[in-house]
Amino acid sequence: MNDETFLATVAGGLAALPSVHAVTLGGSRAQNTHDPGSDWDFAVYYRGGFDPADLRAVGWDGEVSEIGAWGGGVFNGGAWLTIDGRQADVHYRDLDVVEHHLAEAREGRFHWEPLMFHLAGVPSYLVVAELAVNRVLRGDLPRPEYPEALRETAPPMWRGRAELTLRYARGAYVARGAATEVAGALATAAMETAHAVLAARGEWVTNEKRLLRRAGLREIDAIVAGLRPDPGVLAKALDEADALLLAAVDG
């Protein structure tokens, strides 16, 4: 199958599942930033009960999780599949939950959640960002603009988390010469600050893969590369990171 035939086949199969009202294509392929080896990210938007057994019954190879198996938050489960030789992820999206987070985001309200593979975790408005940037393949979904209220509330939350991350590293790890722990704190704080920068611009974020570049924070690489288990070196690195991250926010 060529790509368009593949999209039509998968979208049709997902849209035919009980309770599914819409199907989207997300990730790099929805934003035209993919390369030939990029996987395919789909989401099924359902209303009411969704039974993963129905997805398993389609017969595609791979692993299909139960509802809530990916943490039970905004990422509430999905599947890793191989379809026609292509790697495809399917995310479960409960429309009632998505609409709730959309209404909250429009009022500037959200919460933070941990999520595997995301250094800074994710905001609950991530599912709103998906509505804004993903390509709808079947059904109808809202395509929200970035709420002005969220541009006011999100940056200070993210910047506050970054400040606390670096402060903790300074107190807990520098004197011990714990370079690995400081490196982790620098990476996390940089991602948190990048969220702050993009929220202030009103730019949606759906993952961390290009987050530092988009926020102009790739200079953190040089700081991390210079770490070694020496308290003086670690303290200097945290000072440099503080200055870099503060300049990004103020800029």
Side-chain angles (χ1 to χ4, degrees), residues 66-78:
E66 296 302 320
I67 299 290
W70 292 0
V74 295
F75 263 77
N76 68 331

Side-chain angles (χ1 to χ4, degrees), residues 59-100:
W60 291 321
D61 291 336
E63 178 182 340
V64 178
S65 84
E66 296 302 320
I67 299 290
W70 292 0
V74 295
F75 263 77
N76 68 331
W80 294 290
L81 304 171
T82 301
I83 306 172
D84 191 45
R86 296 168 167 90
Q87 299 303 306
D89 297 342
V90 178
H91 298 157
Y92 306 153
R93 292 290 179 263
D94 185 326
L95 273 169
D96 291 337
V97 173
V98 171
E99 289 167 357
H100 167 75

Side-chain angles (χ1 to χ4, degrees), residues 119-146:
L119 293 174
V122 295
S124 55
Y125 59 79
L126 181 144
V127 292
V128 183
E130 291 175 338
L131 291 177
V133 303
N134 287 2
R135 175 181 167 188
V136 178
L137 303 175
R138 295 288 189 278
D140 294 300
L141 292 169
R143 197 169 188 85
E145 299 292 332
Y146 204 103

Side-chain angles (χ1 to χ4, degrees), residues 84-230:
D84 191 45
R86 296 168 167 90
Q87 299 303 306
D89 297 342
V90 178
H91 298 157
Y92 306 153
R93 292 290 179 263
D94 185 326
L95 273 169
D96 291 337
V97 173
V98 171
E99 289 167 357
H100 167 75
H101 289 309
L102 173 57
E104 289 287 284
R106 285 172 170 162
E107 298 298 322
R109 296 189 294 266
F110 66 98
H111 66 269
W112 172 91
E113 294 181 2
L115 182 64
M116 285 188 70
F117 320 123
H118 291 68
L119 293 174
V122 295
S124 55
Y125 59 79
L126 181 144
V127 292
V128 183
E130 291 175 338
L131 291 177
V133 303
N134 287 2
R135 175 181 167 188
V136 178
L137 303 175
R138 295 288 189 278
D140 294 300
L141 292 169
R143 197 169 188 85
E145 299 292 332
Y146 204 103
E148 285 300 319
L150 199 59
R151 294 183 67 172
E152 296 294 324
T153 59
M157 187 284 281
W158 285 113
R159 180 56 186 156
R161 293 186 69 89
E163 290 173 348
L164 289 174
T165 298
L166 294 184
R167 186 185 306 171
Y168 184 84
R170 194 180 297 276
Y173 301 133
V174 168
R176 296 180 171 89
T180 297
E181 290 85 340
V182 170
L186 290 175
T188 300
M191 290 294 187
E192 291 165 337
T193 301
H195 272 287
V197 169
L198 294 180
R201 294 180 191 165
E203 295 183 19
W204 293 112
V205 173
T206 57
N207 60 57
E208 293 181 341
K209 293 178 182 177
R210 294 175 177 82
L211 188 52
L212 294 183
R213 179 184 58 77
R214 290 177 62 193
L217 286 172
R218 287 261 57 118
E219 291 179 47
I220 198 71
D221 292 341
I223 298 175
V224 173
L227 295 179
R228 65 177 188 270
D230 177 287

Side-chain angles (χ1 to χ4, degrees), residues 1-12 40 84 86 138:
M1 288 188 282
N2 62 29
D3 286 351
E4 287 306 313
T5 303
F6 173 77
L7 276 178
T9 299
V10 177
W40 298 75
D84 191 45
R86 296 168 167 90
R138 295 288 189 278

Side-chain angles (χ1 to χ4, degrees), residues 15-28:
L17 298 175
S19 303
V20 171
H21 287 244
V23 178
T24 64
L25 174 69
S28 60

